[in-house]
Amino acid sequence: MAKWGEGDSRWIVEEREDGHNLNDWHWVEKNIVPWCKTEVANRFKDLTIYDGPLGQFKFTGLKNLDGSICAHVRRGRRFVMYEYNMSFDWSGRLVQEDGSIEVKGTVKIPYMGDENDFDDFEFEVSVDGKGAKAKGIVHQECKKVLKKAVKEFMEYMNTKWTEGPIKSDSQSEIKRCTLKNEEQSSQSSSSVKAAASSQVTNSSSKSKSGVKNKDLTQKVTLNGPVQMIFSTFLDKDRLSAFTQSETHIDPKVGGAFKLFSGNVTGEFLEIVPEKKIVQKWRFSDWKPDVYSTVTLTFESSSQTIIKLSQNNIPADDLNRTKEGWNRFYWNNFRNIFGGNIGSFM
């Protein structure tokens, strides 16, 4: 293969000036929180909550939007992952028997996660000072107005960021390239797939006979809700995003899974929602009768604590297994949620 800057220019891979991600193959991640803040602020400014005989109340602006909202592109797939909270200011006039009074307060959505439907969320209403009756009216009317507005925003966000080009703002983004020759493009695609496969498997098959097995344990702490983190291990699309690889999952006891384009395979032995996952697990180059057992337990407090235990690992694959957990799982989870990756024991 010609080196960069050498050989026939028709076969040279070049970075595209337009930044186009050819066939959406490369991993691209875009922080869209700033865009979301602007969009939400525009949609909610002066949005009427209630206008009737009991008074008039409206949203006056976005108070805050905090969390993680990212648009992703990977291997021809586009998706948005999010976990955030937001709150709004509201104000108005409450009609009383002796006249009307000015009231104001806050509406807060404490959690929005991509495991929920767009209108599946809880909200809280508070009022500053007097006006308990106004709080009740706003809460009742927000069941319709707030959920409708948020759902429309989420649907628009999801459509906008899963169509058209997405340019990453990450410094570590893989350079996007194109080829000047269609035949070379086909060869390059095969090379990329082979490289992705080699990230998990060794170049040569090893004999496992007579090799003593090893165990490993590890504790990982993540700053995210246990519901979202647990469900990621059972969701094909989200696990593909986190591991940046092709994934097939049948999330039930007895269901099979294939990870990293089939280089890791196995079966679910036990699933306890938000508590525990047990898997029969193997690398594809192990002998057919060789399996290890993976147990993941989940604990929820202010953070999510994951305890990993993997038993019966062929000794000469212990380091490869450790590297895989850190490189393809925990580092990516930590990049999204934040947290701490403990050492293997």
Side-chain angles (χ1 to χ4, degrees):
M1 179 179 290
K3 294 181 180 179
W4 181 262
E6 299 179 2
D8 191 331
S9 61
R10 293 174 299 174
W11 300 93
I12 302 299
V13 180
E14 294 182 347
E15 182 179 0
R16 292 182 65 119
E17 293 181 359
D18 61 5
H20 180 63
N21 186 358
L22 189 64
N23 297 324
D24 284 345
W25 177 259
H26 296 303
W27 177 264
V28 178
E29 179 179 292
K30 175 75 174 179
N31 173 22
I32 61 172
V33 169
W35 176 88
C36 289
K37 287 183 176 180
T38 300
E39 184 67 25
V40 171
N42 290 336
R43 286 173 176 265
F44 278 82
K45 183 175 176 57
D46 296 328
L47 177 65
T48 298
I49 300 173
Y50 173 82
D51 187 351
L54 301 178
Q56 300 84 37
F57 310 102
K58 66 179 181 180
F59 289 105
T60 55
L62 175 67
K63 188 172 184 177
N64 73 282
L65 191 160
D66 295 319
S68 172
I69 311 176
C70 290
H72 300 267
V73 176
R74 177 61 174 170
R75 293 189 177 184
R77 295 180 53 256
R78 294 161 177 264
F79 50 95
V80 178
M81 298 186 70
Y82 54 89
E83 180 193 16
Y84 67 95
N85 64 80
M86 58 183 173
S87 60
F88 307 89
D89 291 320
W90 64 269
S91 65
R93 297 187 64 83
L94 173 65
V95 176
Q96 301 184 121
E97 292 182 358
D98 56 350
S100 61
I101 59 171
E102 298 284 343
V103 290
K104 62 180 181 178
T106 302
V107 174
K108 180 179 180 181
I109 300 175
Y111 177 75
M112 287 286 294
D114 53 20
E115 72 272 23
N116 302 116
D117 293 334
F118 293 153
D119 58 353
D120 180 20
F121 60 87
E122 301 296 326
F123 65 91
E124 304 165 358
V125 177
S126 63
V127 63
D128 299 339
K130 297 181 179 180
K133 185 177 179 181
K135 176 182 176 181
I137 297 170
V138 171
H139 190 279
Q140 179 64 33
E141 296 302 315
C142 271
K143 291 179 181 179
K144 299 175 291 185
V145 177
L146 179 65
K147 293 205 170 189
K148 180 177 182 293
V150 170
K151 182 179 181 180
E152 289 175 350
F153 158 69
M154 296 296 292
E155 289 175 342
Y156 176 67
M157 176 193 74
N158 199 57
T159 299
K160 175 179 174 60
W161 292 101
T162 54
E163 297 178 357
I166 298 176
K167 291 187 177 182
S168 173
D169 49 12
S170 171
Q171 295 297 319
S172 61
E173 177 192 353
I174 300 173
K175 289 185 177 180
R176 298 171 227 163
C177 301
T178 187
L179 295 169
K180 292 185 177 180
N181 185 289
E182 292 183 0
E183 181 180 353
Q184 180 69 6
S185 178
S186 176
Q187 293 175 353
S188 176
S189 177
S190 298
S191 298
V192 171
K193 292 179 181 178
S197 174
S198 67
Q199 289 178 332
V200 179
T201 60
N202 286 344
S203 58
S204 61
S205 179
K206 301 177 181 179
S207 172
K208 308 300 175 184
S209 59
V211 177
K212 184 178 179 181
N213 292 339
K214 298 287 187 178
D215 301 335
L216 65 80
T217 59
Q218 188 182 25
K219 179 180 177 181
V220 177
T221 303
L222 299 172
N223 302 328
V226 67
Q227 301 95 328
M228 184 177 187
I229 294 170
F230 179 91
S231 63
T232 298
F233 285 88
L234 304 178
D235 185 294
K236 176 177 71 70
D237 292 336
R238 290 169 62 186
L239 192 58
S240 292
F242 274 91
T243 61
Q244 303 178 29
S245 67
E246 183 180 354
T247 299
H248 296 281
I249 296 176
D250 184 11
K252 64 183 180 182
V253 174
F257 62 84
K258 292 183 179 180
L259 311 176
F260 307 104
S261 303
N263 291 303
V264 172
T265 62
E267 176 182 332
F268 289 98
L269 301 179
E270 183 179 0
I271 299 175
V272 181
E274 300 176 16
K275 296 292 184 182
K276 187 178 183 181
I277 296 174
V278 182
Q279 299 172 331
K280 186 179 178 181
W281 190 103
R282 69 187 307 276
F283 279 117
S284 61
D285 61 346
W286 289 358
K287 294 181 66 175
D289 59 342
V290 176
Y291 282 88
S292 68
T293 301
V294 169
T295 301
L296 295 163
T297 60
F298 300 78
E299 299 175 10
S300 177
S301 55
S302 58
Q303 299 172 304
T304 295
I305 299 172
I306 304 174
K307 293 181 180 178
L308 163 67
S309 173
Q310 186 165 358
N311 303 324
N312 299 320
I313 305 167
D316 52 356
D317 265 337
L318 181 63
N319 289 335
R320 176 165 67 139
T321 305
K322 290 179 177 179
E323 179 186 1
W325 281 108
N326 278 343
R327 181 179 178 185
F328 297 106
Y329 282 87
W330 308 135
N331 287 341
N332 292 330
F333 273 74
R334 183 175 59 182
N335 288 341
I336 296 294
F337 298 107
N340 179 64
I341 302 173
S343 300
F344 285 100
M345 303 296 290

